[in-house]
Amino acid sequence: MKHQLSRKFYRYVLPSMISMLLSGFYSMVDGVFVGNAVGSQALAAINLVYPVQACMNATAFGLGVGGAVLMSKYMGQEDDEQARRAMGTTLSVLVIAAVLLTGFFWLTKDLCIQLLGAQGAIAEFADQYISVIILCTILPVLGNGVVPLIRNQGRTVAATLFMSSGLISNIVLDYVLIFRLGMGLRGAAIATVIAQGVVATLALSYLFFNNREVFSLEGLRISPRHLKSMVRIAVSPFGQTLIPSIIIVLTNWQCIRYGGDDALAVFSLLSYVLASVQLLLQGVGDGIQPLLSFYYGAGQRQEIHYLFYKGVRSSILISLLTAIGVVMLRAQIATLFGLEGALAREAQPALVITACSFLMVGLSRCISAYFYAVENTRVSTLLVYIEPCLFFPVTLAILPLAFKLNGVWMAYPAAQLGLAALCIALFIRVEHRQNRAESSAVGSFAINERH
């Protein structure tokens, strides 16, 4: 059994990690090209308005994962009709969400740029970039929301290939539009949305040819019961995807306070590196999620435990390897993003401090994914939202008072340490309760048998 489960684990987790890492590379590629072709202010502008883009991605990913978890549960119960209904509801809700997000962010665009702290030339750069993203919201929403449905059907290789196609398109278009045509930030945004459109087109085409019965008026009809369950599950993955952008906003404010535009440029670099590692580690949790949801629906708890602990071990290993890599290559990373001189020297110790958070990020991502995969939404929601609402604001407010700008860089690792400790404590508590409940059930059954 363990050999078979291990094969399933790697078949799901490895493509999921690659897919999540590739999705993070979209903005990183923009940052590399913009930082080298336009300058540090343009790089800071992308980082400042990234939360708007992240909100779109988080909504799409949350709804997509919510529908995919529901679909996997029904597949575990061998209820194909309800699995198709869950897929159809998810597709329709994604389109509606894209329309609503487009309208909301276009009407509040100027206010968002102002609230996010952009001023002067940085505000102008930010407007150039985010205007294109907002007008094309439907493409990232469908690209990010449909892929989880494909992955949870077991088509992990196809999902990874679709994400790879988008990234390759983004790299090529960034080079042409930014370096060759000199379109600056507007060119970077156009490259991003076209690349996400490639992913959306490939993913929807794949679903259509393999699930044609879903693509009808009846198949796409929204089921209120499925919608309610989907949204309830979506709260955690939505938060996991959005929280980094909340952290970016809060940190940007402190960077402006303690270091000005130079600190913003350094944090832009940190946020790109951190986002990539976060998504890679989230890929482990998201990779085991379809299997956990399937076995949860089938009522096979032993398989759930085996896969979860294998996921935790994998997260620890990846966390340590990425942390070592960032520390050893910190000078090269700064150069890659176009930082030079004093900025590059300031970025290197900040990268080392940030790398200290990777181990805790891996643990918290994996445990949170476990809770929402088995529909323990109360705990998963607590774990996701307590970081931006309590842990991080407290560390970000206190540590800079003593350590100035270094305290800003230290805030995230400190918050992650507290979150990881809470994750472990809650997991142990929930597991202890379940074991007691199972023991009581076995004891009651034995007593009834004797009588």
CSV table of all heavy atoms in Angstrom, one decimal, residues 69-80 83 290 293-300:
chain,number,residue,atom,x,y,z
A,69,VAL,N,-11.8,20.6,-4.5
A,69,VAL,CA,-11.9,19.7,-3.3
A,69,VAL,C,-13.2,19.0,-3.3
A,69,VAL,O,-13.3,17.8,-3.0
A,69,VAL,CB,-11.7,20.6,-2.1
A,69,VAL,CG1,-12.1,19.8,-0.8
A,69,VAL,CG2,-10.2,21.0,-1.9
A,70,LEU,N,-14.3,19.8,-3.6
A,70,LEU,CA,-15.6,19.2,-3.6
A,70,LEU,C,-15.7,18.1,-4.7
A,70,LEU,O,-16.3,17.0,-4.4
A,70,LEU,CB,-16.6,20.3,-3.9
A,70,LEU,CG,-18.1,20.1,-3.5
A,70,LEU,CD1,-18.2,19.9,-2.0
A,70,LEU,CD2,-18.9,21.3,-3.9
A,71,MET,N,-15.2,18.4,-5.8
A,71,MET,CA,-15.2,17.4,-6.9
A,71,MET,C,-14.4,16.1,-6.5
A,71,MET,O,-14.9,15.0,-6.8
A,71,MET,CB,-14.6,18.0,-8.2
A,71,MET,CG,-14.6,17.1,-9.4
A,71,MET,SD,-13.7,17.9,-10.8
A,71,MET,CE,-12.0,17.8,-10.2
A,72,SER,N,-13.3,16.3,-5.9
A,72,SER,CA,-12.5,15.1,-5.5
A,72,SER,C,-13.2,14.3,-4.4
A,72,SER,O,-13.2,13.1,-4.4
A,72,SER,CB,-11.1,15.6,-4.9
A,72,SER,OG,-10.3,16.1,-5.9
A,73,LYS,N,-13.9,15.0,-3.5
A,73,LYS,CA,-14.7,14.2,-2.5
A,73,LYS,C,-15.7,13.3,-3.1
A,73,LYS,O,-15.9,12.2,-2.8
A,73,LYS,CB,-15.3,15.2,-1.5
A,73,LYS,CG,-16.0,14.5,-0.3
A,73,LYS,CD,-16.6,15.5,0.6
A,73,LYS,CE,-18.0,16.0,0.1
A,73,LYS,NZ,-18.7,16.7,1.1
A,74,TYR,N,-16.5,13.9,-4.1
A,74,TYR,CA,-17.5,13.1,-4.8
A,74,TYR,C,-16.9,12.0,-5.6
A,74,TYR,O,-17.5,10.9,-5.7
A,74,TYR,CB,-18.3,14.0,-5.7
A,74,TYR,CG,-19.3,14.9,-4.9
A,74,TYR,CD1,-19.3,16.3,-5.1
A,74,TYR,CD2,-20.2,14.4,-4.0
A,74,TYR,CE1,-20.2,17.1,-4.4
A,74,TYR,CE2,-21.0,15.2,-3.2
A,74,TYR,CZ,-21.0,16.5,-3.4
A,74,TYR,OH,-21.9,17.3,-2.7
A,75,MET,N,-15.7,12.2,-6.2
A,75,MET,CA,-15.0,11.2,-6.9
A,75,MET,C,-14.6,10.0,-6.0
A,75,MET,O,-14.7,8.9,-6.3
A,75,MET,CB,-13.8,11.7,-7.6
A,75,MET,CG,-14.1,12.7,-8.8
A,75,MET,SD,-12.6,13.6,-9.4
A,75,MET,CE,-11.6,12.3,-10.0
A,76,GLY,N,-14.2,10.4,-4.7
A,76,GLY,CA,-13.9,9.3,-3.8
A,76,GLY,C,-15.1,8.6,-3.4
A,76,GLY,O,-15.0,7.4,-3.0
A,77,GLN,N,-16.3,9.2,-3.4
A,77,GLN,CA,-17.6,8.5,-3.1
A,77,GLN,C,-18.2,7.9,-4.3
A,77,GLN,O,-19.3,7.3,-4.2
A,77,GLN,CB,-18.5,9.6,-2.5
A,77,GLN,CG,-18.1,10.2,-1.2
A,77,GLN,CD,-19.0,11.3,-0.8
A,77,GLN,OE1,-19.9,11.8,-1.5
A,77,GLN,NE2,-18.8,11.8,0.5
A,78,GLU,N,-17.5,8.0,-5.5
A,78,GLU,CA,-17.9,7.4,-6.7
A,78,GLU,C,-19.2,8.0,-7.2
A,78,GLU,O,-20.1,7.3,-7.8
A,78,GLU,CB,-18.0,5.9,-6.7
A,78,GLU,CG,-16.6,5.2,-6.3
A,78,GLU,CD,-16.7,3.7,-6.3
A,78,GLU,OE1,-17.8,3.2,-6.4
A,78,GLU,OE2,-15.6,3.1,-6.2
A,79,ASP,N,-19.4,9.3,-6.9
A,79,ASP,CA,-20.6,10.0,-7.4
A,79,ASP,C,-20.3,10.9,-8.5
A,79,ASP,O,-20.0,12.1,-8.3
A,79,ASP,CB,-21.2,10.7,-6.2
A,79,ASP,CG,-22.6,11.3,-6.5
A,79,ASP,OD1,-23.0,11.4,-7.7
A,79,ASP,OD2,-23.4,11.6,-5.5
A,80,ASP,N,-20.2,10.4,-9.7
A,80,ASP,CA,-19.7,11.1,-10.9
A,80,ASP,C,-20.6,12.3,-11.2
A,80,ASP,O,-20.2,13.4,-11.7
A,80,ASP,CB,-19.5,10.2,-12.1
A,80,ASP,CG,-18.4,9.2,-11.9
A,80,ASP,OD1,-17.5,9.5,-11.0
A,80,ASP,OD2,-18.4,8.2,-12.5
A,83,ALA,N,-19.9,15.2,-9.0
A,83,ALA,CA,-18.6,15.7,-9.3
A,83,ALA,C,-18.7,16.6,-10.5
A,83,ALA,O,-18.0,17.7,-10.5
A,83,ALA,CB,-17.6,14.5,-9.6
A,290,PRO,N,-5.7,16.9,-3.3
A,290,PRO,CA,-6.6,16.1,-4.0
A,290,PRO,C,-6.7,14.7,-3.5
A,290,PRO,O,-7.8,14.1,-3.4
A,290,PRO,CB,-6.1,16.1,-5.5
A,290,PRO,CG,-5.3,17.3,-5.6
A,290,PRO,CD,-4.7,17.5,-4.3
A,293,SER,N,-8.4,14.8,0.0
A,293,SER,CA,-9.9,14.9,-0.2
A,293,SER,C,-10.5,13.6,-0.7
A,293,SER,O,-11.6,13.3,-0.3
A,293,SER,CB,-10.2,16.1,-1.2
A,293,SER,OG,-9.7,17.3,-0.7
A,294,PHE,N,-9.8,13.0,-1.6
A,294,PHE,CA,-10.3,11.7,-2.2
A,294,PHE,C,-10.5,10.6,-1.1
A,294,PHE,O,-11.5,10.0,-0.9
A,294,PHE,CB,-9.4,11.2,-3.3
A,294,PHE,CG,-9.9,9.9,-3.9
A,294,PHE,CD1,-10.7,9.8,-5.0
A,294,PHE,CD2,-9.4,8.7,-3.4
A,294,PHE,CE1,-11.1,8.6,-5.5
A,294,PHE,CE2,-9.8,7.5,-3.9
A,294,PHE,CZ,-10.6,7.4,-5.0
A,295,TYR,N,-9.4,10.5,-0.3
A,295,TYR,CA,-9.5,9.4,0.8
A,295,TYR,C,-10.4,9.9,1.9
A,295,TYR,O,-10.9,9.0,2.6
A,295,TYR,CB,-8.0,9.1,1.3
A,295,TYR,CG,-7.2,8.3,0.2
A,295,TYR,CD1,-6.1,8.9,-0.4
A,295,TYR,CD2,-7.7,7.1,-0.1
A,295,TYR,CE1,-5.4,8.1,-1.3
A,295,TYR,CE2,-6.9,6.3,-1.1
A,295,TYR,CZ,-5.8,6.9,-1.6
A,295,TYR,OH,-5.1,6.1,-2.6
A,296,TYR,N,-10.5,11.2,2.1
A,296,TYR,CA,-11.5,11.7,3.1
A,296,TYR,C,-12.9,11.3,2.7
A,296,TYR,O,-13.7,10.8,3.5
A,296,TYR,CB,-11.3,13.2,3.2
A,296,TYR,CG,-12.4,13.8,4.1
A,296,TYR,CD1,-12.5,13.6,5.5
A,296,TYR,CD2,-13.4,14.6,3.5
A,296,TYR,CE1,-13.4,14.2,6.2
A,296,TYR,CE2,-14.4,15.2,4.3
A,296,TYR,CZ,-14.4,15.0,5.6
A,296,TYR,OH,-15.4,15.6,6.4
A,297,GLY,N,-13.2,11.5,1.4
A,297,GLY,CA,-14.5,11.1,0.9
A,297,GLY,C,-14.7,9.6,1.0
A,297,GLY,O,-15.8,9.1,1.2
A,298,ALA,N,-13.6,8.8,0.8
A,298,ALA,CA,-13.7,7.3,0.9
A,298,ALA,C,-13.6,6.8,2.3
A,298,ALA,O,-13.8,5.6,2.6
A,298,ALA,CB,-12.6,6.7,0.1
A,299,GLY,N,-13.3,7.7,3.3
A,299,GLY,CA,-13.3,7.3,4.7
A,299,GLY,C,-12.1,6.5,5.1
A,299,GLY,O,-12.1,5.7,6.0
A,300,GLN,N,-10.9,6.7,4.4
A,300,GLN,CA,-9.7,6.0,4.6
A,300,GLN,C,-8.7,6.8,5.3
A,300,GLN,O,-7.8,7.5,4.7
A,300,GLN,CB,-9.1,5.4,3.3
A,300,GLN,CG,-10.1,4.4,2.6
A,300,GLN,CD,-9.6,4.0,1.2
A,300,GLN,OE1,-9.8,4.8,0.2
A,300,GLN,NE2,-9.0,2.9,1.1
